[in-house]
Amino acid sequence: MRSARIAASAAALGVLVYPLAAARAASASPSPAASTTLVSQCESFGPWGVYAKAVTIRSKASTNSTALGVLYRSHRFTVHKTKGNWRYITDRSTGVKGWVSAKYVHREIEDCR
């Protein structure tokens, strides 16, 4: 008796769910224009950010070079160029220009959902 109820419930559920699943599958294939628009929206990058609490700004792209200042997480900065694992930046909060390790700075990607 119990197995008959389970079978009847499963059949009834299948009748209800199948039309919904079929409708989603039909609408899930986007047109070429829609996918192109989505890709261009997802490629927009946000501002640069700092992974650590603070990063040392250096005169050359080397840990042995002179420290010029400190780039804090709250500071805004502009990246001008990249050399290996280093980025040449301008700290817009203090005006200091120099090199920071690329390990500690990143470019945020805008959420495209």
Side-chain angles (χ1 to χ4, degrees):
M1 179 78 163
R2 184 174 179 174
S3 61
R5 283 187 192 167
I6 292 172
S9 297
L13 185 61
V15 170
L16 295 174
V17 173
Y18 181 74
L20 294 174
R24 283 186 183 162
S27 66
S29 56
S31 65
S35 63
T36 304
T37 305
L38 182 63
V39 169
S40 64
Q41 289 173 354
C42 293
E43 289 177 354
S44 72
F45 291 100
W48 287 89
V50 179
Y51 282 121
K53 287 184 181 180
V55 179
T56 304
I57 303 171
R58 300 192 173 273
S59 60
K60 296 180 183 174
S62 167
T63 55
N64 298 328
S65 63
T66 307
L68 301 175
V70 178
L71 179 67
Y72 292 98
R73 184 179 284 174
S74 62
H75 288 193
R76 297 289 171 236
F77 59 98
T78 304
V79 175
H80 301 288
K81 60 184 173 180
T82 300
K83 181 179 181 182
N85 289 330
W86 292 84
R87 305 215 192 280
Y88 186 76
I89 62 110
T90 300
D91 184 346
R92 292 187 289 193
S93 302
T94 62
V96 175
K97 294 182 179 187
W99 293 91
V100 295
S101 174
K103 281 194 257 184
Y104 303 109
V105 296
H106 65 282
R107 189 100 189 245
E108 298 173 4
I109 299 174
E110 297 292 328
D111 189 13
C112 58
R113 288 185 221 148

